[in-house]
Amino acid sequence: MPPALHAGHNDLRQGLLEPQARISPKYLYDARGCELFEQITQLPEYYPTRTEAAILADAGPAMAQALRGHEVLIELGAGNCEKVRALCRSLWPRHFVGVDIAGDFLYQAVRRLAEEFPGLDARAVHADITKPLQLPPDLPQAGRLVFYPGSSIGNFDPADALAMLRRMHGLLGPDGGLLIGIDLPKPLHWLEPAYDDAQGVTARFNLNVLSHVNTLIGSDFDEDDWAHHAFFNTRHSRIEMHLRARQPLAVAWPGGGRRFAEGETIHTENSYKYPLPHFQDMLAQAGFSTSKVWTDERQWFAMVYAHA
Ligand code: AVJ
């Protein structure tokens, strides 16, 4: 085995060795993970994607009005570029930059977008958005709109979310803005099934992270040893996803390893559900001023537009 093969990803090894083992949710998105996430967005129980899409569609004209002047659209976590289509149709930006950690998936999606919107300068930036971001140097500074849909900001702990919002603010020049999707708190009997669906797609999505980790650090996780566990942590207002050891077991990787007791978990994701006023506070702390909020009838999800 070449020595460099499983080098790097020290964060992974460190996280696995912590008393409460953890794997960052960004590792959920290898090729298979992206496919499974797409399936999740179509599940009857998974309300966020369809609620957000409905808001984008219903508020389309009003949004276009509020967002006019933004000619440079930057989508963070662009994925399959599905959501930005609606926005492109109403805004007709001159420039689009899709940023995502899943490279191949992104390149294809941006190519399709460029075909659909002739004249659009569409580019893909393969990057980890949790790190400082390098945008194309020739991208205009003025009139930038950062688009961060899907409530992915909910994956970060509040302090990291604030740091992310500050970094987004830092990407903007004159007449900049942010359009961000936020999943709002709602009754448990709606929240929990969205992360533990009857068909078991979310379980497969969660378990798949182990195979991805095996490829990255050469560990010997066996998906069959683990069970999906998702619940709403009321104190922190967040869904937590864990993988729970079905029996006592040992996992090894080059240079290390650890034992897990039966029932011990690896924490793989948080999905915070911020009350709107709380989130608006965070935006203000990051230097934004909220100017518009669009939401659905049940107030389950919000699209927030904020000025830099
Ligand atoms: C992509 C982060 C918004 O938290 O709802 C879906 C990821 N995890 N089902 C979410 C996810 C389990 C999703 N985000």
Side-chain angles (χ1 to χ4, degrees), residues 25 28-29 37 40-41 46-48 83 149-155 183 194-195 202 205-206 228 239 241 269-273 301:
L28 291 163
Y29 301 94
F37 180 67
I40 287 176
T41 64
Y46 193 75
Y47 62 83
K83 292 171 183 165
S151 193
S152 295
I153 191 80
N155 269 181
D183 195 15
Y195 293 84
T202 309
F205 173 67
N206 195 9
H228 170 66
I239 287 279
M241 284 209 316
E269 185 179 64
N270 287 322
S271 193
Y272 283 84
K273 310 303 171 189
F301 199 98

Side-chain angles (χ1 to χ4, degrees), residues 241-253:
M241 284 209 316
H242 293 252
L243 291 164
R244 175 185 266 160
R246 292 180 185 273
Q247 69 253 340
L249 53 92
V251 179
W253 54 85

Side-chain angles (χ1 to χ4, degrees), residues 16 26 70 166 264 285:
L16 287 171
K26 69 186 179 192
H70 289 296
R166 290 206 167 106
E264 214 177 332
Q285 284 179 59

Side-chain angles (χ1 to χ4, degrees), residues 40 43 45-48 189-197 202:
I40 287 176
L43 291 169
E45 295 96 332
Y46 193 75
Y47 62 83
H189 64 275
W190 289 106
L191 267 175
E192 287 189 335
Y195 293 84
D196 194 5
D197 61 281
T202 309

Side-chain angles (χ1 to χ4, degrees), residues 134-217:
Q134 210 55 55
L135 289 172
D138 58 330
L139 195 72
Q141 294 282 343
R144 292 181 175 183
L145 178 69
V146 168
F147 182 45
Y148 194 42
S151 193
S152 295
I153 191 80
N155 269 181
F156 302 99
D157 286 336
D160 294 337
L162 183 57
M164 272 286 285
L165 292 173
R166 290 206 167 106
R167 273 208 301 280
M168 292 179 200
H169 191 266
L171 294 175
L172 301 172
D175 298 317
L178 168 68
L179 181 64
I180 186 165
I182 301 297
D183 195 15
L184 303 172
K186 62 187 60 59
L188 271 188
H189 64 275
W190 289 106
L191 267 175
E192 287 189 335
Y195 293 84
D196 194 5
D197 61 281
Q199 293 169 61
V201 182
T202 309
R204 288 200 284 285
F205 173 67
N206 195 9
L207 287 161
N208 172 67
V209 80
L210 297 176
S211 303
H212 188 204
V213 169
N214 284 347
T215 338
L216 294 174
I217 66 166

